[in-house]
Amino acid sequence: MARKTVCCRLNGLEISLIVLFLLMTAVSVGLITVLALKLDSEKQEVTPEEPAPTVNPQENPYLIGVGRADCTGPVADLPMMGYANTEQTARGIHTRLFSRAFIVDDGSKRVVFVTADIGMVSQRLRLEVFQELKAKYGDLYRQDNVVMSGTHTHSGLGGYFQYTLFMITSKGYIKPSIQAIVRGIVRSIDIAHRNLRPGRIFINKGQLVDNNLNRSPHSYLNNPEEERNRYEFNTDKQIVIMKFTDLDGDGMGLLSWFAVHPVSMNNTNRMVSSDNLGYASYAFEQEKNIGYLPGEGPFVAGFSSSNLGDSSPNIRGPVCVNTGEKCDYLNSSCPIGGKKECIAFGPGEDMFESTRIIGENMYKKAKELYTSAKQELHGSVHGAHQWVNMTDETVPFNSTHSGRTCKPALGHSFAAGTTDGGGEFNFIQGDTDGDPFWDGIRDALVGSPSNESKACHWPKPILFSTGELDSPLPWHPAIVDVQIITIGSLAIVAVPGEFTTMSGRRIREAVKKELEVQESFTNAEVVVAGLCNIYTHYITTYEEYQIQRYEGASTIFGPHTLSAYIQRYRGLAKAIAHGTIGELPKGPEPPFFDEDKLFNQVKDPVDDVAPANTTFGDVLQQVNPVYKVGEIASVTFVAGNPRHSGDIRDKTLVTVERFHNNTNTWEIVHTDASWETRFHWIKGIAGRSRSEVEWHIPLKAQTGTYRIQHFGHYKQSSDNNTIIMPYVGASDAFEVTRSFYYF
């Protein structure tokens, strides 16, 4: 009995302790919850740009990898790709060129998007990249799941094409040029592949109003009025961004699309430059990669091309530079001087400032969208790809009428150029009649177009019927890539050229309609990625084609080109939405011509010669002893031809260095990848070259002692032996101050 009483008393005590424990626990949990909510609120106020960490994600997170690699080729004596001017050869570096890769894996499938600071992706370039990827990764990275896009800078290097027309305008197939791009793209994918880790993806979009101008408004106005009335502007003002973070909310990268031509650097420029899209990438990465030099650091920011066909950064518009009057609206020419005097200008005092302003506007808007991005992507990734013979596509309009594509041809207005860079001779935009004089010269040189081509391309007066020319190789491609990749509800439409504003809108609308039949693609976001996989010039609407300005004359597959592409991309989108990608026919594979069939008209550089009583790296023009912030420090060296330095990726031809008294060492603060430096190679006579290095001292530069160094190689031959030797040149030390007044 006593035992039972003790037992009962003990049980009562236990119950009391349990009740007390539960009360204390409830109070503690309440206090912790309140504190956690307060801390979470404070955290959101302090760092609104990053999402809260995912502790227990409701689904498997994406694996995300980002990578960036140098793809700068030889920066001397090689033609630049964009303005089709063989005399515009590279003579130095304004900014380096980079390839940026973004990999997304949903656990069973993966897709890759590459944006490279080059004019466009060529078929040859893409095929050579896949040769390298297959050797490294087998079938992991393929035609269907890898998109390659060019930013369309007109200040990159040419020489990476296998079709005759492009080889003519870039003096052939240039192995050092294409190797630098192939290796840069592959390495950027390698880095992204190695860096794969779980993460989250957000998307956001907004408007960037004063950053582009339609350079063919007359063509745009030929689109149906009811269609035009649906849009406020005659260029796309939409900027779309993807934000990549790890599971802790730390930023990994940004990918953005905006429709603007990277032609802020005009056709007088001779320095390799990533232009306005490259500046936006540079600015975003420099902000995120604190303490790193340009091109270094873990955060990768890609600013990509979109439907930029008629979209110019020269927002002050075209004027007759000799009179100050407006150009003729229909054909962009001037009463005195013709089209050569009709030039459009950007917002800055010169092309460098215009490049910075247009790029900075994109960077600032992307930063705003990145900071406020809340819409998260979920779901599977898909990739769909086909090869299409674009010379033989039929597009049904109704039960009785259809259209078809044509063998490639360029119209007379192609030779007129644009207000961003005019062509030669007396060609003008908007020409639907042709010119018997030039037709006669064409017929004598390459032959006349067939009646079939003339009828198919009407109302385009054909200047070159490139689809009927095959010597020494076909002049234009016939087999073209079409591709879409999706990440959750985001679709990236990879287009093989320069879609105009309205062409891009139509294809986005068509793809969106096909995808949204499935619930997983409700409110799908569709972006057009331009200059992807292969280059086929321009793609206008049928209505714009009738006007035959530069863009219409450069729509090489004829007036129904856009309709044919919409038909094909709708098919890809439908296959993605319905899960029937595996049933898509691959289509006819493109050719891969043997290298011995590709020609090269670029001569090897001659031996380098130093002036009497000098050696390579010696200073010819010395720096000043003192500079104020905002000024330009300049030094000139005895130099070799930069082509003798071989593969210059991941190297630098220039450093700006600051001296540290406490350690007695020099610290590199800028390289030739920096916006603040300019490396001019000045070609002399008979191998005598100079290199002029400019440092545009930023207002935020620290005061102190600096020097500028130049690195290069020179070539000399003796007794049938060729030697290439490195050299280094250094300026005198100089001071940077905020004022010339000393107390």
Side-chain angles (χ1 to χ4, degrees), residues 146-343:
V146 178
V147 173
M148 300 178 204
S149 174
T151 61
H152 203 41
T153 174
H154 283 42
S155 296
L157 298 171
Y160 55 94
F161 294 82
Q162 66 173 5
Y163 292 99
T164 299
L165 181 75
F166 302 121
M167 286 195 286
I168 289 172
T169 57
S170 57
K171 295 187 178 179
Y173 172 84
I174 304 168
K175 196 68 176 177
S177 180
I178 192 170
Q179 280 181 334
I181 304 171
V182 169
R183 291 170 180 171
I185 290 175
V186 172
R187 184 157 182 257
S188 68
I189 294 174
D190 288 340
I191 295 169
H193 178 88
R194 291 198 303 267
N195 289 338
L196 279 167
R197 64 183 189 269
R200 304 169 69 185
I201 305 173
F202 299 80
I203 61 171
N204 203 359
K205 62 182 178 180
Q207 279 200 330
L208 187 52
V209 175
D210 296 322
N211 225 50
N212 57 11
L213 178 89
N214 195 305
R215 69 185 186 191
S216 286
H218 182 53
S219 295
Y220 181 88
L221 283 173
N222 208 44
N223 291 307
E225 183 179 4
E226 61 272 21
E227 182 180 33
R228 288 185 281 110
N229 288 342
R230 294 166 51 199
Y231 304 100
E232 185 179 357
F233 301 103
N234 65 0
T235 56
D236 263 338
K237 306 297 184 182
Q238 176 176 277
I239 180 170
V240 179
I241 67 106
M242 295 179 72
K243 173 181 180 175
F244 302 90
T245 77
D246 62 18
L247 293 184
D248 291 327
D250 294 324
M252 298 171 62
L254 165 127
L255 184 54
S256 172
W257 292 270
F258 181 70
V260 67
H261 251 85
V263 290
S264 293
M265 300 295 290
N266 62 42
N267 59 5
T268 67
N269 173 49
R270 302 293 289 272
M271 290 186 290
V272 166
S273 173
S274 58
D275 212 281
N276 48 48
L277 286 174
Y279 181 88
S281 292
Y282 168 85
F284 211 111
E285 288 177 349
Q286 284 297 99
E287 178 176 306
K288 290 293 183 181
N289 295 320
I290 305 277
Y292 288 91
L293 290 169
E296 300 177 3
F299 191 95
V300 177
F303 283 76
S304 309
S305 59
S306 190
N307 53 319
L308 49 65
D310 51 3
S311 181
S312 170
N314 295 315
I315 57 177
R316 283 159 58 192
V319 295
C320 297
V321 293
N322 52 354
T323 65
E325 298 175 355
K326 289 186 177 181
C327 304
D328 180 272
Y329 178 74
L330 298 180
N331 56 37
S332 298
S333 64
C334 299
I336 301 172
K339 66 178 181 299
K340 276 291 189 180
E341 298 297 323
C342 177
I343 301 174

Side-chain angles (χ1 to χ4, degrees), residues 618-634:
D618 282 358
V619 174
L620 295 173
Q621 182 72 43
Q622 194 57 265
V623 293
N624 296 336
V626 182
Y627 292 95
K628 191 168 69 170
V629 293
E631 293 188 325
I632 302 171
S634 178

